[in-house]
Amino acid sequence: MPRYFPIDAGVSFDCDQSDLLAISWTPDSLSADFLLPSTPGRALRIRFNGATIVRLLDEMPLSTEHGTKNEGLVSRHFAYRVEGSTFAETQSEAWKFAYRPVCHYEFVTGSGCMDVLSKFEPSFEMVGSSE
């Protein structure tokens, strides 16, 4: 059963009103900008420095893992570390061994979800936005 552990992104907002604005992904880094609905012209950037596996889902139910409970989810919360997910367990064993220890992180908006596997913790920063 997946267990969710909320992460403090350093800013409070209603994730149901947010959305992914941009993503930049290379073999050695990932950054993604998310709309901050109550702060026009600003976005929340999440960055991972190091190799990642990324999954983007749109118009999601939060869990695509049928028949599981969602222990630890907080209403309208944006960022989580996840343990015991099917997503993490079904990724390449060789990749997970090479980059161990890896964690599953999940970022939830009203219209989508970004899952990330990484050895490194995410960093968060406020940036300008064209939205």
Side-chain angles (χ1 to χ4, degrees), residues 69-84:
K69 295 180 181 178
N70 296 321
E71 183 180 322
L73 287 178
V74 177
S75 179
R76 294 184 170 89
H77 192 76
F78 172 69
Y80 295 92
R81 183 178 54 81
V82 185
E83 293 179 357

Side-chain angles (χ1 to χ4, degrees), residues 25-30 47-54 95-96 98-103 105 116-121:
W25 185 33
T26 69
D28 296 321
S29 69
L30 168 73
R47 184 181 312 272
F48 288 89
N49 294 320
T52 59
I53 293 177
V54 179
W95 188 91
K96 291 187 292 187
Y99 294 102
R100 71 182 180 275
V102 298
C103 288
Y105 298 94
V116 178
L117 285 186
S118 179
K119 176 179 184 169
F120 302 97
E121 292 183 7

Side-chain angles (χ1 to χ4, degrees), residues 34-129:
F34 289 86
L35 173 72
L36 289 172
S38 61
T39 313
R42 304 292 286 165
L44 177 64
R45 177 167 292 158
I46 299 168
R47 184 181 312 272
F48 288 89
N49 294 320
T52 59
I53 293 177
V54 179
R55 172 177 74 171
L56 300 175
L57 299 173
D58 64 348
E59 297 184 17
M60 44 60 90
L62 176 58
S63 176
T64 58
E65 301 166 358
H66 302 289
T68 62
K69 295 180 181 178
N70 296 321
E71 183 180 322
L73 287 178
V74 177
S75 179
R76 294 184 170 89
H77 192 76
F78 172 69
Y80 295 92
R81 183 178 54 81
V82 185
E83 293 179 357
S85 71
T86 300
F87 170 71
E89 291 172 3
T90 58
Q91 300 310 308
S92 165
E93 290 299 325
W95 188 91
K96 291 187 292 187
F97 181 81
Y99 294 102
R100 71 182 180 275
V102 298
C103 288
H104 175 191
Y105 298 94
E106 188 165 84
F107 306 95
V108 182
T109 70
S111 62
C113 175
M114 182 175 82
D115 291 286
V116 178
L117 285 186
S118 179
K119 176 179 184 169
F120 302 97
E121 292 183 7
S123 64
F124 301 93
E125 66 179 309
M126 299 283 289
V127 296
S129 165

